[in-house]
Amino acid sequence: MDEALIKRHFPILDQEVNGHPLVYLDSGATSQKPNTVIDAISTYYKEYNSNVHRGVHTLGTMATEGYENAREKARQFINAKSTSEVIFTRGTTTSLNLVAQSYGRAKVHEGDEIVITPMEHHANLIPWQQVAKLTGATLKYIPMQEDGTLSLEDIKETITDQTKIVAVTHVSNVLGTINPVKEIAKIAHEHQAVIVVDGAQSTPHMPVDVQDLDVDFYAFSGHKMLGPTGIGVLYGKQDLLENMEPVETGGDMIEFVGLYDSTWKELPWKFEAGTPTIAGAIGLGAAIDFLNQVGMDEIHAHENEIATYALDVLSEVEGISIYGPKKRGGLVTFNIEGVHPHDVSTVLDAEGIAVRAGHHCAQPLMKCLNVSATVRASFYLYNTKDDIDRLVEGIKKTKEFFGHVF
């Protein structure tokens, strides 16, 4: 992969921050956008801005085609069987809440079990806490190994015939752990449970085939995969979605409305009440085009190379604790002994290096790690080994600034 050529597609990366060339290492929070995505959104607003599905005029038809073409691109990207299984949402959080509120509350009862992991983002933890409280179900956690992985033995022991839902992240946003989702799905199905997967940190970075994984629900966000904010996808198996009630009601999701009763449109529109994020969907479609042009296998291999290099060079810096397994997604989370993560981020920012510091919406995981916060450097297709070298130099300056010499 030609990183220099890739980088030229991202205008925001061609700038200085605090007098230094920008090194953006926060793609786990949100990715930067290529010109093609920016242009696609701009073109929609300049040339065919209109609402979708409701109008028969030319602009309305163009907007509807752009919106639904994006759905087909998303279907192909994750290899869903049908566009009926691809629901546009505001993002991963909305998608997971939709499953929890519509499927979870209807299917989970007192005495049932919901199984999750300690490494979940709050978006795939709090909704299940709420379902458990409302239904009287038991929330169970698959134990996590010291290196931040899950063992198949623990998974098999935790999931039982009382388990109705297994909710798990595909890739941890803190540890970079790549969970064995296909194997977990098989175990869940052996107990007649459904599996719900948070794909926010996997879909942008590796090939995802929902049919091969055999997951029941899979959620991801556009803004983490070169697309705009405010757009995401919930994939669900059609037979499950057809038997779920919509969480939001109103315009565009109805078939017939009477004075005392209403009926819903067919999938996927019965879950898309109101005016959708049309520009966001069109932007997501353009982002998928860009990712396909580069190639997801190539992106995954590139990030593996960058993450491996980062682990190697950071491990040589004294006074650094690195969290997570050796085999991981494209991120490294660490702490510097005696320096608060927010202070690390502040000093790095002064050097033009953008990283994330905090609990990363994973407070239970922080407790497991016996820390209150960490620093996370997350990578994408536009990052290079030179970016990692800049990070290491910035860490050394941080240590010098706070008087830590190891």
Side-chain angles (χ1 to χ4, degrees), residues 78-113:
I78 61 171
N79 193 33
K81 286 183 180 179
S82 166
T83 52
S84 297
E85 299 179 322
V86 177
I87 300 163
F88 282 134
T89 67
R90 294 197 305 273
T92 304
T93 298
T94 303
S95 296
L96 295 170
N97 273 275
L98 193 162
V99 178
Q101 292 177 35
S102 180
Y103 183 88
R105 293 186 183 186
K107 301 296 184 181
V108 176
H109 306 287
E110 187 174 358
D112 292 338
E113 298 170 350

Side-chain angles (χ1 to χ4, degrees), residues 53-233:
H53 301 147
R54 305 164 191 172
V56 294
H57 56 77
T58 299
L59 295 186
T61 301
M62 292 173 66
T64 299
E65 288 177 352
Y67 183 75
E68 294 301 337
N69 284 343
R71 194 190 307 275
E72 170 60 19
K73 291 176 183 180
R75 183 202 68 77
Q76 293 181 22
F77 193 70
I78 61 171
N79 193 33
K81 286 183 180 179
S82 166
T83 52
S84 297
E85 299 179 322
V86 177
I87 300 163
F88 282 134
T89 67
R90 294 197 305 273
T92 304
T93 298
T94 303
S95 296
L96 295 170
N97 273 275
L98 193 162
V99 178
Q101 292 177 35
S102 180
Y103 183 88
R105 293 186 183 186
K107 301 296 184 181
V108 176
H109 306 287
E110 187 174 358
D112 292 338
E113 298 170 350
I114 302 169
V115 172
I116 62 176
T117 81
M119 68 180 79
E120 298 308 312
H121 187 285
H122 294 164
N124 201 31
L125 191 156
I126 299 172
W128 305 115
Q129 288 179 342
Q130 296 300 102
V131 172
K133 289 178 180 179
L134 287 168
T135 62
T138 300
L139 194 62
K140 294 174 64 178
Y141 286 85
I142 301 169
M144 192 172 65
Q145 304 297 302
E146 288 187 8
D147 66 349
T149 60
L150 305 177
S151 76
L152 286 178
E153 291 75 16
D154 286 336
I155 294 167
K156 291 176 181 177
E157 288 183 8
T158 307
I159 299 173
T160 72
D161 288 341
Q162 283 69 53
T163 303
K164 292 297 182 286
I165 294 173
V166 179
V168 62
T169 184
H170 198 165
V171 175
S172 166
N173 72 308
V174 176
L175 304 171
T177 306
I178 303 172
N179 284 317
V181 166
K182 186 173 181 178
E183 291 80 0
I184 298 173
K186 184 175 183 296
I187 295 167
H189 293 154
E190 288 172 352
H191 294 277
Q192 287 72 54
V194 301
I195 181 170
V196 183
V197 180
D198 174 356
Q201 299 292 339
S202 52
T203 313
H205 305 288
M206 62 182 66
V208 170
D209 184 331
V210 293
Q211 292 190 66
D212 179 64
L213 294 173
D214 197 23
V215 293
D216 298 296
F217 299 99
Y218 198 95
F220 60 95
S221 298
H223 73 97
K224 296 182 189 290
M225 52 186 288
L226 310 184
T229 54
I231 187 72
V233 167

